[in-house]
Amino acid sequence: MEKIRVFCPASVANVSCGFDVLGFCLKEVGDEIIIRKSKQKGVKIISVEGHRLPSDPRKNVAGIAINSFLNKYPSNFGFEIEIIKRIKPGSGIGSSAASSAGAVFGVNKILGDPATKDDLIKFAMEGEKFVSGKAIPDNVSPLIYGGFTLTRSIDPIDVIKLPIPNELVAVIIHPQIEIKTLHSREVLKENVPMELAIKQSANLAGMVSGLYKNDYDLISKCLVDEIVEPHRSSLIPEFYKLKDVANKAGALGCGISGSGPSVFALTKGNEIAKRVADEMKKVFKNHDIGIQCYISKINPNGIKIIPSK
Ligand code: ADP
């Protein structure tokens, strides 16, 4: 294979009770990456379309992740990549993860699939570490495994792919401000009171059970974040108003997507999703901050190969 084009979906991490461990990927929103073999060894980013990002492979997460891949699986040729960026960087819906994971997925395919899924997560995490200061896999795991994932451990990598209830739909509201993951980590507390840790682990266990049992009421009860949301919500314009209108419009729950500023709501079915999206959009009517809104089913496949144009 000389060339590959891949779709790299947006994703929601830190799903309420699942800070740093629970994530899912979207169907409707994503970047594309085109990767070509080249005679010259190493990685060259030949273009980035859509948003301003570094073309130096040591500063772009796609280059960092591929170099990490090539350290374990060296190749006697190199790679040229084109990034078509549709997920705004710093949006909280996994813009950097789409590039890190998409890049290593594509290179692995060109080389005949030598790496395992868990290897790919590890290489992509190097890109995430560069931008957020910490190697966290909760956005890259659902991109590599597809669907909803629980990252139980990062050393060694242990990812559990969870079932997706059929009618589960995500609504994303992205207020057009940028929050860097690095900055939103700084507002977190070092220690967690025992009482909150117990509530959070009970909700996480309930959430996983709810996904397995197709139990929307249980999912709804468990979409609660006792630990991170109280601190990060102040970074997100109108957060509690968004949550209030989403819940009143029938959402199962609503929380901060990744490290924000995007906010997600989960719903049972498309009709409720549309209503929730309309109510959330109204919060920003006549506001000086613009928004983007997406409604998407959960993407069971993650990153996928698409036909080259
Ligand atoms: P997000 O959750 O949207 O990925 P992050 O703060 O984790 O937000 O990452 C965005 C940062 O990563 C920006 O500073 C951006 O310049 C940097 N970055 C480097 N390479 C890329 C890339 N290929 N795609 C997206 N962001 C990148």
Side-chain angles (χ1 to χ4, degrees), residues 67-78:
N67 279 323
S68 166
F69 182 107
L70 294 175
N71 277 339
K72 179 154 180 202
Y73 298 102
S75 137
N76 50 14
F77 47 82

Side-chain angles (χ1 to χ4, degrees), residues 101 104-105 117-118 120-121 124 140-146 301-303:
V104 292
F105 174 94
K117 284 190 161 97
D118 292 350
L120 295 182
I121 291 174
V140 295
S141 296
L143 297 192
I144 298 291
Y145 274 85
N301 305 312
I303 296 168

